[in-house]
Amino acid sequence: MTDRRVTVHGRAVALAEHGDPAGAPVFLFHGTPDSRLGKDFTDGPARERGLRILCPDRGGIGGSDPVPGRTIAGYAAEILALADALGIDRFATVGYSAGGPFALACAAGADPRVTGTALMAGAGPIDDRPGAREGLAKSDLDMLDLLEKSPRREAMSLRVQKWATQLVPSAAIGQISAELTAPDKDFLARRSAKEEMSFFVESLRQGPAGVMDEYRLWAGPWHLDWAAVTTPVEIFQGEDDAMVPMHHAEDIASRLPAGVGRLHRLPATGHLSIQDHIGDVLDALRTP
């Protein structure tokens, strides 16, 4: 992994890179609470396919400076500015979990520079659609509830979780595992607890404000022009995902123009074990 800082319009953006440094560029957008770290699962498959994976921290997350007043739809402009700073013309995107909304924002607002989009267990809108929150992870539902009822308690909870994860990462893994299905529990059993939780600790490097902002954006109006998406959106969703349910993938596909969204249902696959399918995701992605 190459980990560096890029200056974009006077602010720092933390960026991790994997794969072929000279390959076709693919931006990978992390989930929530998540960061640019922990995306090593992309490295080998990306090198085999001649792809360069770029994983930026969003504003206020990890090593990236905050972006006051940021929006989901506005993220397209942020990525275009980052691409310009990196000398990248056209690129593809992958949105993992709560990174899905930001990949869709680029698909809707950065055409024609976006050549293709893929979602991995991508979170859909949780607006006024009946049942939109059904089947989401309890931890995420708790964060959304606290954000609405007691933001101070949520901030304190995130600080405590960061401290506890740094102190006893295996205990944090145990708490996560309680929410997961068998494929994801098997996936976690193959990983180092400290390495697996590094993404979470890094997401809170600047404190809880950035992560809380992410939940606030997800729960609010996205203001996306869904009809503006013209390049294919490959939607990969595990049938055993206990964190983001299948109906989110189905809802996203239904909002996209006819023939643009293509849903790939993955049996015996959960929210974390979908990482084992990164090769299939990259193969389906239209790259520059």
Side-chain angles (χ1 to χ4, degrees), residues 41 173 182-193 195-196 272-277:
F41 65 91
I173 288 287
D184 280 348
K185 290 180 180 180
D186 292 343
F187 176 86
L188 280 180
R190 308 196 307 262
R191 309 276 293 188
S192 158
E195 291 178 3
E196 183 63 23
L272 304 179
S273 52
I274 198 170
Q275 294 177 25
D276 291 335
H277 294 270

Side-chain angles (χ1 to χ4, degrees), residues 11-45:
R11 58 176 291 270
V13 176
L15 182 72
E17 296 192 35
H18 299 275
D20 182 353
V26 179
F27 283 102
L28 173 67
F29 303 136
H30 61 73
T32 301
D34 194 1
S35 67
R36 72 193 185 282
L37 301 185
K39 308 305 178 287
D40 53 290
F41 65 91
T42 67
D43 190 65

Side-chain angles (χ1 to χ4, degrees), residues 73-96:
Y75 195 62
E78 291 184 45
I79 288 299
L80 289 177
L82 176 58
D84 289 342
L86 295 169
I88 293 172
D89 181 19
R90 306 185 77 207
F91 53 87
T93 69
V94 177
Y96 186 10

Side-chain angles (χ1 to χ4, degrees), residues 133 139-151 153-154:
R133 299 193 182 199
S139 55
D140 286 330
L141 291 173
D142 289 345
M143 286 291 106
L144 291 166
D145 186 58
L146 280 175
L147 183 64
E148 180 180 342
K149 296 179 179 178
S150 181
R153 282 182 58 200
E154 179 173 21

Side-chain angles (χ1 to χ4, degrees), residues 231-246:
T231 56
V233 177
E234 308 292 344
I235 306 168
F236 287 81
Q237 183 65 37
E239 293 183 349
D240 291 340
D241 191 329
M243 304 190 81
V244 175
M246 181 64 73

Side-chain angles (χ1 to χ4, degrees), residues 27-171:
F27 283 102
L28 173 67
F29 303 136
H30 61 73
T32 301
D34 194 1
S35 67
R36 72 193 185 282
L37 301 185
K39 308 305 178 287
D40 53 290
F41 65 91
T42 67
D43 190 65
R47 287 182 185 275
E48 293 170 3
R49 292 161 176 81
L51 299 176
R52 176 189 181 193
I53 307 295
L54 305 108
C55 311
D57 283 339
R58 291 189 287 277
I61 301 295
S64 289
D65 290 340
V67 179
R70 69 188 179 103
T71 65
I72 288 178
Y75 195 62
E78 291 184 45
I79 288 299
L80 289 177
L82 176 58
D84 289 342
L86 295 169
I88 293 172
D89 181 19
R90 306 185 77 207
F91 53 87
T93 69
V94 177
Y96 186 10
S97 189
F102 299 94
L104 290 166
C106 291
D111 188 53
R113 291 178 65 177
V114 174
T115 58
T117 303
L119 305 181
M120 297 175 58
I126 48 175
D127 43 22
D128 55 356
R129 177 173 69 89
R133 299 193 182 199
E134 292 180 5
L136 292 174
K138 183 181 182 299
S139 55
D140 286 330
L141 291 173
D142 289 345
M143 286 291 106
L144 291 166
D145 186 58
L146 280 175
L147 183 64
E148 180 180 342
K149 296 179 179 178
S150 181
R152 288 186 179 181
R153 282 182 58 200
E154 179 173 21
M156 182 180 296
S157 174
L158 286 167
R159 289 190 180 98
V160 170
Q161 287 180 53
K162 177 187 177 183
W163 173 81
T165 299
Q166 290 176 301
L167 190 64
V168 190
S170 59

